[in-house]
Amino acid sequence: MRKFKKVFSYFYRNYFLPRFLSWKHRNILAKNKELKNKYKGKRCFLIGGGPSVKNIDLSRLKDEFTFVMGEFDNNPQFDSLNPKFYVISDSTYFTEGESDYWNKQFEKKDKTIKPSTNIFMSLDARAYAAKNKLFTNHKIHYIGMRGIINESFSFNTNLDRYLPWPKNSMLLSMMIAVYLG
């Protein structure tokens, strides 16, 4: 019986739940269809948000399709780079009861990310952002994520459905870039 519960739980979390949530949030996720292959044939650059990027000259990427993520808004080159896409997927930013530090960082992003930057944000952040009146002047594309990336289930990069939960923002950015073309 224990093995059955484990198998059922795994199947539920990775197969049934993502499909159910895709149906439940279909109106929100359907807005992402406009992005499918929108940038086909264009090159893009994915730039991590860690401190190792701080000393790299990013000025040559100013007019490119750039994805940034995480704490990149703290990078001294953030304003001059003017990234086209910002990925916010870490749930610590928008989880009620989390450290005030993370909530304040999320609120800071509302002020530092330019309205011209397309934001890809976890659907789980939608309620927190609305409650706190965040990102009201930005173009937000919500991403639903549940389940895991596994060879037993088909790999999905369709932003109009729930994606398998990537391990980090860089992997999610790659999935988004594939969808955009």
Side-chain angles (χ1 to χ4, degrees):
M1 185 61 147
R2 192 176 207 187
K3 187 174 182 177
F4 173 77
K5 284 183 180 180
K6 191 174 185 178
V7 170
F8 178 78
S9 175
Y10 182 83
F11 182 75
Y12 174 80
R13 286 188 327 261
N14 296 298
Y15 185 80
F16 177 74
L17 186 60
R19 282 161 179 75
F20 171 74
L21 291 172
S22 290
W23 174 81
K24 180 180 177 186
H25 297 122
R26 66 189 175 278
N27 293 334
I28 298 166
L29 296 173
K31 295 174 184 172
N32 293 333
K33 286 182 180 181
E34 71 186 39
L35 300 172
K36 179 78 172 168
N37 292 322
K38 184 173 181 174
Y39 300 97
K40 191 172 183 104
K42 307 286 185 194
R43 67 183 184 172
C44 70
F45 295 86
L46 285 66
I47 307 167
S52 62
V53 182
K54 198 183 313 182
N55 298 322
I56 297 174
D57 179 13
L58 301 173
S59 62
R60 293 172 58 190
L61 301 178
K62 183 178 185 284
D63 297 320
E64 299 284 354
F65 291 100
T66 51
F67 285 80
V68 298
M69 59 216 68
E71 295 298 297
F72 192 83
D73 54 320
N74 292 324
N75 187 298
Q77 299 176 79
F78 177 68
D79 286 330
S80 61
L81 179 64
N82 192 22
K84 307 301 182 262
F85 309 102
Y86 204 114
V87 177
I88 304 172
S89 63
D90 191 338
S91 63
T92 54
Y93 287 120
F94 45 82
T95 303
E96 295 285 349
E98 270 297 329
S99 154
D100 278 346
Y101 170 80
W102 291 110
N103 296 153
K104 296 229 181 301
Q105 288 299 311
F106 194 54
E107 292 167 13
K108 185 184 111 186
K109 288 179 186 323
D110 176 46
K111 294 173 183 68
T112 58
I113 299 173
K114 294 177 184 173
S116 60
T117 301
N118 287 278
I119 298 174
F120 289 92
M121 188 182 304
S122 170
L123 191 53
D124 295 337
R126 189 170 182 251
Y128 184 91
K131 176 183 171 187
N132 293 287
K133 297 177 177 51
L134 301 174
F135 305 103
T136 56
N137 297 318
H138 295 82
K139 176 69 174 172
I140 299 177
H141 306 282
Y142 288 104
I143 307 294
M145 298 173 282
R146 284 292 182 280
I148 58 173
I149 297 174
N150 183 313
E151 67 277 353
S152 300
F153 299 106
S154 59
F155 186 73
N156 169 33
T157 59
N158 291 325
L159 302 184
D160 61 321
R161 298 188 316 219
Y162 267 66
L163 299 174
W165 204 294
K167 303 281 187 218
N168 55 52
S169 296
M170 183 60 78
L171 183 54
L172 177 59
S173 297
M174 286 187 237
M175 294 165 77
I176 294 167
V178 167
Y179 187 80
L180 298 181

